[in-house]
Amino acid sequence: AVVAVGSQVGDPSTRPLHEVYPKLTALVTQDEVAAGQEAGRLALGLLPRDRVAQIAIIEGAPGFPEVLQRAAGFRQALDAARARYRIVASQPGNWTADDADTACQNILAAQPDVDLFFNEADDMAVGCARAVRSAGSHARLIGIGGSRLAMVSLEAGKIDGTVCYKPRELGALAFDALYGEVTGR
């Protein structure tokens, strides 16, 4: 028995999230589009209202379904609210603080007027925050995950928001699915 946790198996452009890959017992994950939408709703309160907002996206790693799903949800929320924005850059941060720091440095060198960085994971938001501070930028930062480090960074004012997940619940659901498969319950 195999259960996928936290990441969709298969191509999200050809297989809907609710359609579990045939060789899996179960898929235990969160709705990544909804997470992106919630991040977009958080962004709405942080964007300038007097002009077109300049937004940069720090993606996870290429090939992960979450990268496309989170970005799509983010844009959907901004579009639904008729926000005036432009995505000025999008680079992979490979889910790590260090790679996100580098990606944000590169983006800020080319686009110093970025208003907001949407980081597709909290570790990347924390890394991006270092780049923003080093550059003297006032860009706002949003992440996804609700990690302990993100909560500390949020309380310290280093990042501006995160969309929280409940990893314990994902683990419990995965265990229940495996147990049910093995025991026939």
Side-chain angles (χ1 to χ4, degrees):
V2 177
V3 174
V5 180
S7 185
Q8 181 178 356
V9 176
D11 182 351
S13 64
T14 62
R15 178 178 299 282
L17 184 64
H18 66 275
E19 189 180 299
V20 177
Y21 191 76
K23 296 187 181 190
L24 292 177
T25 300
L27 167 63
V28 181
T29 190
Q30 50 281 326
D31 184 333
E32 300 294 351
V33 174
Q37 289 169 337
E38 188 58 33
R41 285 189 281 278
L42 285 172
L44 289 169
L46 301 171
L47 296 175
R49 302 197 192 289
D50 59 338
R51 59 184 166 77
V52 175
Q54 309 294 305
I55 298 174
I57 298 175
I58 304 302
E59 303 169 342
F64 280 79
E66 296 84 351
V67 170
L68 301 173
Q69 293 164 334
R70 291 176 183 185
F74 182 76
R75 287 183 179 100
Q76 287 170 8
L78 295 178
D79 293 344
R82 299 183 192 272
R84 295 181 337 145
Y85 72 98
R86 188 167 64 96
I87 305 293
V88 297
S90 187
Q91 287 188 17
N94 299 312
W95 308 116
T96 71
D98 288 342
D99 285 357
D101 183 343
T102 301
C104 288
Q105 286 178 37
N106 293 339
I107 290 170
L108 286 169
Q111 302 283 341
D113 295 328
V114 168
D115 295 302
L116 181 130
F117 282 96
F118 168 45
N119 295 270
E120 292 185 335
D122 283 343
D123 283 355
M124 296 189 307
V126 170
C128 191
R130 291 192 306 249
V132 166
R133 282 192 310 277
S134 292
S137 170
H138 296 290
R140 309 300 292 269
L141 298 142
I142 292 176
I144 290 183
S147 72
R148 193 168 285 166
L149 182 57
M151 293 295 122
V152 169
S153 296
L154 187 61
E155 290 171 3
K158 294 179 181 177
I159 68 171
D160 300 288
T162 184
V163 177
C164 296
Y165 283 136
K166 299 179 179 180
R168 283 191 179 135
E169 285 81 354
L170 292 177
L173 288 169
F175 178 79
D176 288 347
L178 283 171
Y179 182 78
E181 179 70 16
V182 171
T183 63
R185 294 185 179 172

